[in-house]
Amino acid sequence: MRFPSTRPSSVLGASLLAFGVLLVVRSAHPSAQVAPTAAAGASRLAHGEYLVKTGGCNDCHTPWKLGDNGPEPDMSKMLMGHPAGLVANDPPGLQLPWIGSASSTMTSWSGPWGRSYTANLTSDRETGIGAWTERQFIDTIRSGKHWGNGRPLLPTMPWPAFRNLADDDLAAIFAYLQTVPAIRNKVPDPVVAPGPPPEPLPTTKLLKVAPGQADPVSRGRYLVTAKGCGDCHTPMKMGSKGPEYDMTRMLSGFDARGAVPPMPPIEGAGEVYVLEPAFAGGWGMSFAANLTSDVETGLGSWTEQQFLDTLRNGRHQGRGRQLVPPMPWQIFGQMNDADLKAIFAYLRTVPAVKNKVPDPVAPAPSASSKR
């Protein structure tokens, strides 16, 4: 018995051959391969831009200027770091309990570590990060050392918080920074105080939450940790190795059990003074808010919409008093609704700490206004 041939008929064979040729031609066509890659690249750049804009990078790495509505980042110098020709003098009269200060450009910071300057993050190959590799960038953020093995990053670079960003997020940030127009600006070397460099403040363990693939509470925890909310909203205490965050009062804001610090000498200094979680500048003195789930003194009685409106409008519950520096509501207000809702969902799970944070203190009248 002869079995039917398993070879296709000439017509079927020709059809399959034509189909195969069509597959080869379509696969070899540039649009078939390049388009998805280009789309993925564009999506990655857009994600990196979103992370940079909502992560507050411009707050320190872009010099500030006096605009029509007050101080604002000078976007013509976007992410170029501390201006090379600008001499930053030590602020006059910095006394305890105030432990640090920033220049009026927000690009120079001084404290027990010495004086540090924000880096040039543009794509300039000589003075920026244009010659860096993605691996060097990620290793820098993970380890707190230049290129992962150089000198330690100094305050106030919040690398202990940013180290919690996932590799995909850090890679997207680096990809976007490589597209930022190059500005040749050699930032001065830091002036390091004598003695060993300060140990970085301890942070939570590296998170393992995959961005965009987690439930809202886990996603919110990832964002709150990676964006460094605890840097300002968690009070500090003296530990065995020096100041450290008091995690028993996590995100409870300025500790109302202590005395309100005296106003530092702002006039003529042109600086911002820091005593986490209290801050002083031309706006007066402000205190980091209680973000815990406490109903009376925290966010426990807030609605999701009130939280979103606060960050969108810069007013308490969207219609109350104006938020004052250094709360970067203009930055966080650019986050999408899903991320802001995730942050709120997580904050509702933070253990309640009853702590009524003081109201902001208005600036004292200047000497010229008294005349």
Side-chain angles (χ1 to χ4, degrees):
M1 179 182 291
R2 295 182 62 187
F3 291 93
S5 172
T6 56
R7 295 178 61 189
S9 68
S10 58
V11 174
L12 180 58
S15 299
L16 290 174
L17 178 61
F19 184 62
V21 171
L22 179 62
L23 283 177
V24 172
V25 172
R26 287 181 64 86
S27 297
H29 195 280
S31 63
Q33 289 184 329
V34 175
T37 303
S43 176
R44 189 189 205 194
L45 289 177
H47 183 54
E49 182 179 14
Y50 172 77
L51 292 171
V52 167
K53 287 185 175 180
T54 62
C57 301
N58 280 303
D59 278 5
C60 294
H61 289 273
T62 297
W64 285 56
K65 66 176 183 178
L66 189 60
D68 294 337
N69 297 315
E72 63 184 21
D74 183 353
M75 299 309 289
S76 69
K77 301 176 180 178
M78 185 175 72
L79 298 176
M80 79 170 202
H82 183 77
L86 181 62
V87 177
N89 298 316
D90 289 330
L94 183 61
Q95 299 175 349
L96 292 175
W98 298 97
I99 59 173
S101 67
S103 65
S104 58
T105 59
M106 299 298 288
T107 57
S108 172
W109 297 77
S110 63
W113 64 89
R115 182 174 283 276
S116 50
Y117 303 93
T118 56
N120 184 342
L121 300 184
T122 74
S123 58
D124 186 69
R125 294 185 61 83
E126 293 185 13
T127 65
I129 61 172
W132 286 40
T133 66
E134 179 185 281
R135 185 75 261 161
Q136 288 172 330
F137 180 77
I138 293 177
D139 287 347
T140 296
I141 301 299
R142 290 272 186 258
S143 67
K145 294 179 180 293
H146 270 270
W147 292 356
N149 57 13
R151 69 164 178 81
L153 302 185
L154 296 174
T156 58
M157 174 61 190
W159 70 266
F162 291 165
R163 68 193 283 264
N164 286 283
L165 286 165
D167 278 354
D168 286 349
D169 280 350
L170 288 174
I173 289 173
F174 179 74
Y176 169 68
L177 292 177
Q178 292 294 294
T179 71
V180 173
I183 298 178
R184 186 176 298 279
N185 177 54
K186 191 176 187 315
V187 173
D189 292 329
V191 179
V192 181
E199 292 189 15
L201 293 171
T203 60
T204 57
K205 295 180 180 179
L206 281 173
L207 300 180
K208 301 299 182 183
V209 177
Q213 299 177 0
D215 63 278
V217 171
S218 296
R219 171 67 175 168
R221 177 173 178 259
Y222 171 79
L223 292 169
V224 167
T225 304
K227 289 184 178 296
C229 299
D231 287 357
C232 292
H233 290 273
T234 297
M236 302 181 75
K237 66 177 182 179
M238 187 60 69
S240 59
K241 295 184 178 180
E244 63 183 27
Y245 293 114
D246 184 356
M247 299 309 291
T248 66
R249 302 179 66 82
M250 183 178 71
L251 297 176
S252 65
F254 179 84
D255 193 341
R257 299 174 302 176
V260 173
M263 182 76 77
I266 299 295
E267 187 172 20
E271 301 247 341
V272 176
Y273 290 79
V274 178
L275 170 62
E276 292 184 293
F279 306 86
W283 65 87
M285 185 158 39
S286 51
F287 308 93
N290 184 343
L291 302 183
T292 74
S293 58
D294 186 69
V295 173
E296 295 182 6
T297 64
L299 302 181
S301 64
W302 286 42
T303 67
E304 180 185 83
Q305 192 58 52
Q306 287 173 330
F307 181 76
L308 267 65
D309 288 345
T310 296
L311 293 181
R312 294 274 189 252
N313 305 331
R315 293 186 175 278
H316 268 273
Q317 298 185 344
R319 52 185 172 78
R321 69 164 178 81
Q322 183 74 42
L323 301 187
V324 292
M327 175 60 194
W329 66 267
Q330 300 94 332
I331 301 297
F332 294 157
Q334 298 180 61
M335 298 177 71
N336 59 48
D337 281 355
D339 279 350
L340 289 178
K341 289 178 179 180
I343 289 175
F344 182 72
Y346 167 66
L347 293 177
R348 292 298 295 267
T349 71
V350 174
V353 177
K354 190 171 293 296
N355 179 52
K356 191 177 188 316
V357 173
D359 292 330
V361 177
S366 64
S368 58
S369 65
K370 295 178 182 178
R371 297 191 184 107

